[in-house]
Amino acid sequence: MNFIFRHTKLKDWLIALVMILGVYGLCFEVSQASFLSILLYWVPFGLAYAWLVFFGRRNLETNFCFYLLLAFSLKVIALFSFPLLSDDIYRFYWDGLLWTNGINPLEQLPAFYIQNGISVNGLTPQLYSELNSPEYFTIYPPVLQSFFAFAASLGNSVEDVALIMKTILLILEIGTIFLVIGILRMLKLSVSRVFWYALNPLVIIEIMGNLHFEGAMVFFMALFIWLILKMKWMGSALALAFSVGSKLLPLMFIPAILKYLDWKRGWKWMLIFCLGFLVLIIPFLDGGLIQNFGQSFDLYFRKFEFNASLYYLLREIGIWVTGYNQIAILGPSLAILTTISIALLALKIKKGDERSLLEILLISFCIYLLGSATVHPWYIILPVFLSVFTRFQFPLVWSLVVVLSYAHYWDGVYEEKYLLIFLEYCIVLFYFLFEHLKKERLPKKYSAD
């Protein structure tokens, strides 16, 4: 063990202590309604992280094993907490219980079982009261549903199930970190960049603390990138199918991937991807189930609003012109505009240029977020991951300031603080512009690292 600590100095131990206290506080001591308590732990944690990734590259390289051990330790600490800043765990448990009773969660709304007095083992009025969207069909894809079912089959309570699911995510997170190291080596980038992701406060708190399955999506994305760089086309297609099967969002990357591949490889890759994804969605192939899933997905674009940017600007213009909220039109319209923009952006990729591909994937997802009506903090996890392989660090800044969105739950009353939203996006935009201009001035050979 001496080789891990031989180069560590007092400042390394102080940084580790600050991060440990940050994870402990944010995972065990805060509540969603206590924004000041969240900031009390988040700010020192975020500053320690920011110093390391923006100014402490030499520290990370010299003490690589120390900080790698720290990253694993922070995730293990969060493993034993119960989600404090999100109530999604209750829907995960609900869906998992239905699967263990031989019922597809897409067959009926949660209220159906409670209002009709239908007895299903584990489904109680108390659990129903904890659901955050009981009036909607589940929107979680098949890979996640398999995790829910597995955890519910082993656990006897929501606490047990949360621990089992977090254990799955911990295994996936460890896999992601090692895959990122391998990808960085293939791209001839500094392996210390892995800490942009591995030590990121948002990544640790939202995946291991609040139990968000972006961790599964990112693991399969990392596996996809690693395989495609190794020119394992079949494996990469299946890996992306599993990533889409965890969260549907990576579907937007397909135009860019096909442009990266040549025509001969592209159609074969697409065929394998489609077959792999088809196998995953077999439980959902019943017409009624697809309709129910589509209904909830459509409502996501037509009803949900949270921490948006461009959408809020257009919404206010719409209210000023028409006198009411135009979300039913704006949501789908922005989705269509985003899709067209991402498809056009994919045309800029050069065949076989992996750095161009990775950069376009990052920018594509950020365009999606800027056009979305709902941007929860954990949505920034994928941009943080993708930024590791690009010349951009603005997603790291975004991951730190997105904590301002938790102010919308201040004192247990949900009310969006638009001044804080404006501040959040201004910081991100200004840093993006600063970073872009700075990179433009650098010689081309230095712009990648």
Side-chain angles (χ1 to χ4, degrees):
M1 294 292 288
N2 289 336
F3 75 95
I4 296 178
F5 305 110
R6 63 182 175 181
H7 296 297
T8 55
K9 298 178 181 179
L10 179 59
K11 62 182 176 182
D12 298 306
W13 288 105
L14 289 176
I15 288 171
L17 178 61
V18 168
M19 289 187 163
I20 290 170
L21 291 175
V23 169
Y24 176 79
L26 291 164
C27 291
F28 293 92
E29 297 293 332
V30 301
S31 68
Q32 195 179 64
S34 181
F35 179 60
L36 293 180
S37 296
I38 293 173
L39 285 183
L40 178 66
Y41 292 105
W42 185 276
V43 171
F45 190 2
L47 289 175
Y49 168 79
W51 185 87
L52 281 175
V53 300
F54 292 110
F55 308 106
R57 174 176 169 179
R58 182 171 297 178
N59 274 67
L60 293 174
E61 291 175 343
T62 304
N63 299 289
F64 185 86
C65 291
F66 172 79
Y67 282 107
L68 190 63
L69 178 62
L70 174 61
F72 292 149
S73 300
L74 296 176
K75 295 176 188 299
V76 171
I77 292 170
L79 169 70
F80 297 101
S81 66
F82 188 80
L84 297 179
L85 302 179
S86 172
D87 52 10
D88 289 346
I89 175 60
Y90 297 104
R91 188 57 178 262
F92 300 165
Y93 187 34
W94 181 279
D95 285 3
L97 286 171
L98 286 171
W99 284 115
T100 60
N101 285 278
I103 303 171
N104 191 312
L106 281 167
E107 289 182 5
Q108 300 290 343
L109 292 168
F112 172 82
Y113 303 99
I114 302 301
Q115 294 174 357
N116 292 288
I118 297 175
S119 178
V120 178
N121 186 35
L123 300 190
T124 64
Q126 180 181 0
L127 178 59
Y128 175 79
S129 67
E130 299 285 357
L131 301 181
N132 56 19
S133 299
E135 67 274 23
Y136 302 121
F137 289 100
T138 185
I139 60 170
Y140 300 109
V143 172
L144 299 196
Q145 293 292 343
S146 66
F147 292 154
F148 303 161
F150 174 76
S153 68
L154 297 179
N156 296 316
S157 67
V158 67
E159 290 80 12
D160 291 345
V161 168
L163 181 60
I164 294 167
M165 291 182 184
K166 284 190 173 192
T167 302
I168 295 171
L169 285 173
L170 177 62
I171 294 170
L172 295 177
E173 279 286 273
I174 292 172
T176 297
I177 289 171
F178 283 110
L179 284 169
V180 168
I181 292 172
I183 295 167
L184 289 170
R185 285 174 175 161
M186 283 190 279
L187 293 174
K188 295 181 171 53
L189 295 171
S190 171
V191 292
S192 66
R193 281 173 168 244
V194 69
F195 297 113
W196 296 12
Y197 180 85
L199 290 175
N200 186 276
L202 184 74
V203 171
I204 296 169
I205 300 306
E206 294 298 350
I207 293 178
M208 293 307 306
N210 295 329
L211 193 50
H212 290 297
F213 276 90
E214 269 64 18
M217 174 181 64
V218 166
F219 168 77
F220 291 115
M221 273 297 302
L223 183 59
F224 155 75
I225 294 171
W226 185 76
L227 288 169
I228 205 166
L229 291 181
K230 283 187 165 290
M231 294 184 286
K232 306 290 187 181
W233 313 121
M234 180 180 295
S236 69
L238 294 176
L240 190 73
F242 271 85
S243 186
V244 173
S246 301
K247 297 277 183 173
L248 297 178
L249 295 174
L251 275 172
M252 73 178 73
F253 297 149
I254 288 180
I257 295 167
L258 294 179
K259 183 65 168 60
Y260 169 80
L261 302 169
D262 58 32
W263 181 88
K264 184 177 180 180
R265 289 176 184 153
W267 75 264
K268 292 179 180 178
W269 184 94
M270 191 65 189
L271 178 62
I272 295 167
F273 168 81
C274 291
L275 289 175
F277 188 65
L278 183 63
V279 171
L280 290 175
I281 65 171
I282 284 175
F284 299 94
L285 287 182
D286 178 89
L289 301 184
I290 293 175
Q291 181 181 358
N292 292 342
F293 184 87
Q295 177 183 330
S296 288
F297 198 67
D298 181 62
L299 285 171
Y300 174 85
F301 288 102
R302 295 181 183 273
K303 187 169 183 179
F304 293 166
E305 300 175 335
F306 184 83
N307 194 42
S309 55
L310 179 61
Y311 164 77
Y312 280 165
L313 293 175
L314 296 177
R315 184 189 68 178
E316 292 307 307
I317 294 173
I319 292 174
W320 178 65
V321 173
T322 66
Y324 63 92
N325 190 346
Q326 294 283 339
I327 185 172
I329 298 174
L330 283 176
S333 298
L334 282 172
I336 294 171
L337 181 61
T338 297
T339 301
I340 295 172
S341 300
I342 290 172
L344 292 175
L345 191 61
L347 297 176
K348 297 183 65 176
I349 296 176
K350 299 176 182 178
K351 174 187 169 183
D353 186 347
E354 62 273 1
R355 291 193 178 184
S356 171
L357 171 66
L358 294 168
E359 190 166 297
I360 293 300
L361 296 187
L362 170 62
I363 300 301
S364 295
F365 197 79
C366 290
I367 288 174
Y368 160 76
L369 291 177
L370 291 175
S372 177
T374 305
V375 183
H376 288 295
W378 51 94
Y379 291 8
I380 315 301
I381 290 174
L382 184 57
V384 169
F385 163 75
L386 291 171
S387 71
V388 174
F389 314 113
T390 73
R391 60 192 174 96
F392 292 110
Q393 289 184 303
F394 72 89
L396 309 185
V397 175
W398 198 353
S399 74
L400 296 177
V401 298
V402 75
V403 70
L404 295 174
S405 64
Y406 276 111
H408 308 328
Y409 303 102
W410 209 329
D411 292 332
V413 178
Y414 176 73
E415 181 182 0
E416 291 204 271
K417 311 296 189 295
Y418 294 108
L419 183 59
L420 292 181
I421 294 175
F422 179 75
L423 176 62
E424 172 193 341
Y425 284 100
C426 279
I427 292 172
V428 176
L429 177 61
F430 285 141
Y431 191 85
F432 170 77
L433 294 174
F434 161 77
E435 188 172 40
H436 181 69
L437 292 173
K438 182 182 70 172
K439 295 293 183 182
E440 286 295 320
R441 295 193 193 101
L442 290 175
K444 189 174 182 180
K445 66 178 180 178
Y446 296 119
S447 64
D449 199 11

